Amino acid sequence: MFTVLQISDTHLSQRIPRFNANWACAARVIASHPAELIVHTGDAALDGPDHAADLDFAASALRTGIGAEGPRLRCVPGNHDVGDRPVIAPHQPTTDARIAAHAAALGACTWVDDAPGWRLIGINTQVLGTGTAAEATQAAMLAEAALTLGDRLLALFMHKPPFLDQADEPDAGYWTVPPGERGALAPLLFHARLRLVASGHLHVHRLIRRGAVMHAWSPATSFMVGPALMADTHGGERRLGILRHRFGVDGVETEVVALPGAEPIVLDPITDEIYPPPPSLAPA
Ligand SMILES: [Fe+2]
Ligand SMILES: [Fe+2]
């Protein structure tokens, strides 16, 4: 048995420190929950694509919060770390340079970790469909990881969920991996030994099972997204927190852990203050 704490969507910045105190609350929870590994499922930084200093600050704040004696930290990037597909974020496309900046601050964007009986894989959803060198490198890594899985069980960590409710649903736009890019994940996403798909991005907590697989949406530590920005939570709960995954011989048990003292910030009324629209989209 081993334990992984999943943290997500910290949105840290020295420029705009609105969510930093909530990370401090999460760090106190981490200190009281022993684990072998911490996985951050993206949006570590407030605005990494345009402010590399936010990535550096996030890396420093995460390491300080977890502590030198704390568990090892693995990260996968989010759209607010490295950008997104041009059709979603024309002002902040994911590029190899932005991926390199994230890797320099927070480590490899795609990774494979083997633990007793399990293979844990971190996937960079932000590179899917971009045509970058990093996308090709990741595709080769994921194919190799599927081929060499052996008799281990499989857990995937990524920023955007692969889908909201069903693998064959139509494009959900900003919120998920687009249908056209799910094929790149297919060798892992539909593998018979897959047991966990753990994601962030929606700032909503939800656990749903599809066959043998638990699809776990981690709440954010930073803020919730309200109805004005996200009308439908697809059965999930708007709340803050982290996830605790306990991996055993036969499967994984996942539970949400609250953040005592965290401020229940809702992004909707402060969006323009935190994420001003790019000049091309701003009202004249
Ligand atoms: Fe986020
Ligand atoms: Fe995100």
Side-chain angles (χ1 to χ4, degrees):
M1 177 84 85
F2 62 95
T3 299
V4 174
L5 297 179
Q6 181 185 354
I7 59 178
S8 203
D9 296 272
T10 44
H11 291 255
L12 294 166
S13 170
Q14 196 164 32
R15 295 177 304 110
I16 302 176
R18 186 69 181 87
F19 311 116
N20 297 358
N22 278 358
W23 161 240
C25 296
R28 284 195 289 276
V29 169
I30 289 169
S32 63
H33 288 74
E36 278 68 40
L37 178 69
I38 297 175
V39 175
H40 194 310
T41 43
D43 288 353
L46 189 86
D47 189 9
D50 282 347
H51 301 276
D54 281 6
L55 289 170
D56 294 335
F57 177 81
S60 174
L62 290 170
R63 292 190 179 108
T64 299
I66 293 167
E69 304 300 319
R72 193 163 55 94
L73 173 66
R74 282 287 207 183
C75 300
V76 293
N79 51 304
H80 290 293
D81 298 318
V82 299
D84 216 327
R85 291 176 297 133
V87 68
I88 299 293
H91 60 298
Q92 287 185 331
T94 304
T95 62
D96 284 317
R98 284 172 164 151
I99 290 169
H102 178 278
L106 291 158
C109 298
T110 308
W111 45 265
V112 179
D113 269 6
D114 286 342
W118 287 84
R119 174 163 284 178
L120 279 49
I121 302 179
I123 297 173
N124 178 1
T125 53
Q126 303 315 113
V127 83
L128 298 171
T130 61
T132 56
E135 181 181 17
T137 301
Q138 171 168 273
M141 281 183 69
L142 300 185
E144 174 75 10
L147 280 174
T148 61
L149 182 64
D151 60 2
R152 299 178 190 89
L153 296 175
L154 181 60
L156 307 179
F157 293 85
M158 60 188 78
H159 184 57
K160 291 189 178 185
F163 49 79
L164 293 173
D165 294 305
Q166 302 290 342
D168 59 354
E169 70 192 18
D171 195 347
Y174 177 78
W175 296 113
T176 70
V177 172
E181 307 306 330
R182 287 174 199 150
L185 306 182
L188 298 170
L189 201 52
F190 303 107
H191 200 290
R193 303 195 71 78
L194 180 64
R195 294 293 180 272
L196 175 68
V197 178
S199 58
H201 184 53
L202 285 89
H203 295 227
V204 163
H205 170 54
R206 192 189 70 173
L207 302 177
I208 60 164
R209 191 170 285 282
R210 293 288 178 264
V213 183
M214 175 62 78
H215 290 261
W217 289 357
S218 177
T221 70
S222 54
F223 60 82
M224 295 168 281
V225 179
L229 294 174
M230 181 198 292
D232 185 356
T233 63
H234 291 262
E237 179 186 5
R238 301 182 209 268
R239 60 165 297 167
L240 303 179
I242 66 173
L243 295 184
R244 176 163 63 174
H245 304 289
R246 286 188 275 201
F247 292 82
V249 173
D250 299 324
V252 55
E253 295 177 2
T254 299
E255 63 183 338
V256 67
V257 183
L259 307 181
E263 180 186 357
I265 303 168
V266 177
L267 183 65
D268 305 22
I270 57 171
T271 306
D272 287 349
E273 167 192 334
I274 304 296
Y275 288 114
S280 60
L281 300 177

